[in-house]
Amino acid sequence: RMLATRSVARHAPRVTSRVRARSSPRASSAMSSSAREKDLQTLWADAYDAWLDVPGEPQPSVVYARPVVPELTRVHAGDLPAQSSRDAEAFPAIVTSSRSFALTGFNPMGEKTAMATNRLANAALRDDLAALDTPPPRAVWNSFGFAHDWREDGFVVAFHEADAAEARAAIVRLAVKYDQGAVYEYAPVPGDATRLRRSTVPAAMGAGVEADASLERCAKPELALANREVEDDTY
């Protein structure tokens, strides 16, 4: 999500008392971790992106993007887009000519955290990104990932395509430092500036959170959490 996480206890599988009695603490922990990663994988794969004041775009502005998914897979009418728009707008040139990554300091390891703590973590992360020079970013801008009931603020970092592997390693190291489950990676689609490939790349969590999505640019969704600024108690 830029990725932190949200609490997923409501999706934990139910088990009988007999199973609990026979299960070792290690087995129970593994089951819980697997269920959590699966829930987060779904959340991150379906989430919207919002990028603030992207270089080359009018200032101030917000670029919104959504996964392109079939109508039958939608869950909430306002949460996921319907089918792809034929007249989708091109993504900013800095994005279609770079390998970009999104990450956050919010809600480490899926634990809902006080907003004051989240904002301090993002401030420290911003300083770390400003000091990043191996490889040097082309640009950094503020962003947030969101859905109908979830939002986390963070940053997008764009690198030269030739630096993609080194950049991925550097961004994942930073995500692990801030106990983030995963990061987003955005890759341009050759010959199509209206599409990006978004991958969920594991950081402090395992491969269970991996997911790929095709993104298109979209208008601002009719969701409260899509606003550029929201009250802390709305998160």
Side-chain angles (χ1 to χ4, degrees):
R1 98 157 327 65
M2 61 176 255
L3 294 183
T5 48
R6 69 172 180 183
S7 175
V8 296
R10 70 184 184 206
H11 296 287
R14 279 198 273 176
V15 295
T16 65
S17 58
R18 179 179 299 176
V19 171
R20 282 199 296 267
R22 296 191 316 194
S23 298
S24 68
R26 181 176 298 176
S28 297
S29 176
M31 182 187 305
S32 175
S33 176
S34 176
R36 178 191 227 179
E37 289 186 2
K38 178 60 178 176
D39 192 81
L40 290 169
Q41 177 200 46
T42 302
L43 168 68
W44 291 333
D46 292 345
Y48 285 96
D49 282 291
W51 302 335
L52 281 57
D53 306 326
V54 180
E57 292 287 299
Q59 306 291 315
S61 65
V62 181
V63 172
Y64 292 97
R66 64 185 184 181
V68 179
V69 296
E71 175 69 27
L72 292 178
T73 68
R74 302 179 76 201
V75 178
H76 302 282
D79 193 18
L80 298 177
Q83 58 191 353
S84 172
S85 301
R86 294 182 180 179
D87 57 350
E89 186 178 355
F91 280 100
I94 186 69
V95 178
T96 58
S97 62
S98 302
R99 186 66 61 96
S100 303
F101 301 84
L103 71 166
T104 181
F106 273 37
N107 301 335
M109 294 304 291
E111 299 298 330
K112 188 169 179 60
T113 303
M115 284 303 299
T117 302
N118 283 335
R119 296 203 185 284
L120 286 172
N122 262 6
L125 175 57
R126 183 177 60 240
D127 290 343
D128 282 342
L129 291 173
L132 189 63
D133 60 2
T134 309
R138 296 183 67 192
V140 180
W141 57 87
N142 293 337
S143 66
F144 59 91
F146 67 101
H148 76 287
D149 62 351
W150 167 85
R151 169 168 163 160
E152 289 173 342
D153 300 352
F155 309 94
V156 173
V157 193
F159 296 88
H160 290 285
E161 185 68 34
D163 294 330
E166 191 176 15
R168 184 184 306 111
I171 292 297
V172 167
R173 282 195 299 271
L174 273 179
V176 171
K177 176 181 177 179
Y178 289 89
D179 291 326
Q180 298 303 309
V183 301
Y184 278 153
E185 178 173 350
Y186 308 95
V189 175
D192 189 354
T194 69
R195 288 285 184 274
L196 290 176
R197 187 179 72 252
R198 185 182 72 188
S199 300
T200 305
V201 179
M205 289 186 174
V209 299
E210 290 180 342
D212 292 317
S214 176
L215 292 188
E216 70 176 3
R217 192 165 175 173
C218 65
K220 179 185 176 184
E222 295 296 325
L223 300 173
L225 292 175
N227 293 329
R228 182 181 180 118
E229 302 288 344
V230 298
E231 298 294 330
D232 284 357
D233 59 5
T234 307
Y235 284 77

